């Protein structure tokens, strides 16, 4: 497996660049959305020790209950921000506190083209990746914690797939593509139903059974 690694916090022309991010992407069918799903998402994160820190940027002082109410309404409306709309009309992002990372952020999207919700949790990828004998690999201690987080989020009954990406690894595979056997994004973990296992595992893939007739796949 090739790890697409982008060194973050580089200085270019005297300015700090935005970090490259590792992402946990949770896919939910539009037909499986329900009132209260964002509140449930927050509850799941809190139980995993991923604590709410604040709203993001212009909304840093907005209380969590207000953010939940805003996002719930947007989700039920299957809202997707238009190209000419101001960002303040979009879903509210939040900052989280987890594992001592310098930044953990969660945001949500509705993808009209796929009738699919995407809930994402991102961290700077250079806090997860490290150099080992001349190659880039994943920090094993952090990886074990993320594996538990993904396995526990998979217990949320509306979840269709959980995939991971790096900054340069490309987009996730959408649910309708997974259903016909396309390979998920495994950078380096994913959780999918056994019924989606129509693709060939690669040499470095390791798959184990998890609850809800699922498979946790690790590719190192």
């Amino acid at each position: 497996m090739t790890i697409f690694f982008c060194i973050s916090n580089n200085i270019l022309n005297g300015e700090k660049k935005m970090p490259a991010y590792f992402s946990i992407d949770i896919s939910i069918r539009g037909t499986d959305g329900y009132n209260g799903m964002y509140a449930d998402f927050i509850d799941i994160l809190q139980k995993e020790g991923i604590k709410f820190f604040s709203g993001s940027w212009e909304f840093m002082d907005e209380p969590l209950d207000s953010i939940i109410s805003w996002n719930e309404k947007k989700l039920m409306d299957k809202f997707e921000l238009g190209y000419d709309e101001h960002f303040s009309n979009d879903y509210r992002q939040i900052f989280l506190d987890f594992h001592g990372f310098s930044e953990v952020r969660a945001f949500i999207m509705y993808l009209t083209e796929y009738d699919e919700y995407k809930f994402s949790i991102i961290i700077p990828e250079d806090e997860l990746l490290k150099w080992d004998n001349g190659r880039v690999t994943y920090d094993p201690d952090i990886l074990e914690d993320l594996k538990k987080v993904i396995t526990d989020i998979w217990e949320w009954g509306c979840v269709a797939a959980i995939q991971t990406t790096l900054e340069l690894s490309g987009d996730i595979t959408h649910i309708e593509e997974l259903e016909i056997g396309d390979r998920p994004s495994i950078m380096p973990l994913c959780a999918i139903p056994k019924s989606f296992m129509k693709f060939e595992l690669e040499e470095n893939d390791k798959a184990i059974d998890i609850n809800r007739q699922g498979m946790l796949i690790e590719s190192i």
Side-chain angles (χ1 to χ4, degrees):
M1 180 193 70
T2 301
I3 296 178
F4 300 87
F5 182 48
C6 181
I7 301 292
S8 72
N9 294 325
N10 290 331
I11 301 297
L12 182 64
N13 297 326
E15 297 183 1
K16 184 179 288 188
K17 295 170 63 180
M18 180 175 288
Y21 290 104
F22 162 83
S23 180
I24 299 173
D25 297 305
I26 304 156
S27 298
I28 301 170
R29 293 179 178 88
T31 53
D32 289 334
Y34 61 93
N35 191 32
M37 67 189 299
Y38 189 74
D40 286 350
F41 173 63
I42 296 298
D43 285 346
I44 291 167
L45 296 185
Q46 304 269 35
K47 289 175 183 176
E48 290 300 313
I50 306 174
K51 302 298 185 182
F52 173 78
F53 183 77
S54 74
S56 63
W57 299 298
E58 285 82 357
F59 307 101
M60 292 189 76
D61 294 329
E62 187 170 356
L64 179 58
D65 58 354
S66 175
I67 294 172
I68 290 174
S69 178
W70 175 274
N71 284 343
E72 292 281 12
K73 184 178 187 307
K74 294 287 184 181
L75 287 168
M76 290 300 92
D77 291 342
K78 293 188 173 181
F79 174 81
E80 186 172 30
L81 189 71
Y83 289 111
D84 58 351
E85 286 187 79
H86 194 268
F87 73 89
S88 62
N89 198 38
D90 204 358
Y91 299 93
R92 299 285 196 260
Q93 299 189 27
I94 59 173
F95 286 116
L96 300 161
D97 181 13
F98 178 60
H99 214 293
F101 292 122
S102 64
E103 178 187 352
V104 183
R105 185 156 38 100
F107 60 90
I108 53 181
M109 302 173 65
Y110 173 71
L111 307 174
T112 303
E113 180 180 358
Y114 300 98
D115 188 22
E116 179 177 316
Y117 298 107
K118 185 170 78 166
F119 288 54
S120 297
I121 305 164
I122 63 173
I123 62 173
E125 66 179 31
D126 63 356
E127 297 181 30
L128 170 64
L129 301 175
K130 65 177 187 176
W131 292 101
D132 184 15
N133 294 322
R135 64 186 293 268
V136 177
T137 186
Y138 295 89
D139 184 299
D141 294 330
I142 298 175
L143 188 60
E144 284 304 309
D145 289 343
L146 293 177
K147 195 182 301 184
K148 180 181 184 304
V149 168
I150 288 171
T151 302
D152 289 346
I153 293 175
W154 176 254
E155 299 282 351
W156 189 16
C158 62
V159 173
I162 305 174
Q163 300 170 75
T164 52
T165 63
L166 297 174
E167 187 78 15
L168 301 179
S169 65
D171 198 6
I172 62 169
T173 307
H174 297 286
I175 298 170
E176 63 183 35
E177 299 164 341
L178 292 169
E179 288 177 320
I180 63 173
D182 287 358
R183 181 178 172 85
S185 178
I186 316 172
M187 302 299 291
L189 300 165
C190 82
I192 57 173
K194 290 180 181 178
S195 61
F196 289 0
M197 295 285 293
K198 301 169 185 174
F199 57 93
E200 292 291 330
L201 292 176
E202 297 181 355
E203 181 180 354
N204 294 323
D205 293 346
K206 181 174 70 172
I208 61 171
D209 289 351
I210 53 177
N211 288 340
R212 294 183 55 230
Q213 295 295 306
M215 300 293 293
L216 178 70
I217 306 173
E218 179 179 350
S219 184
I220 300 295

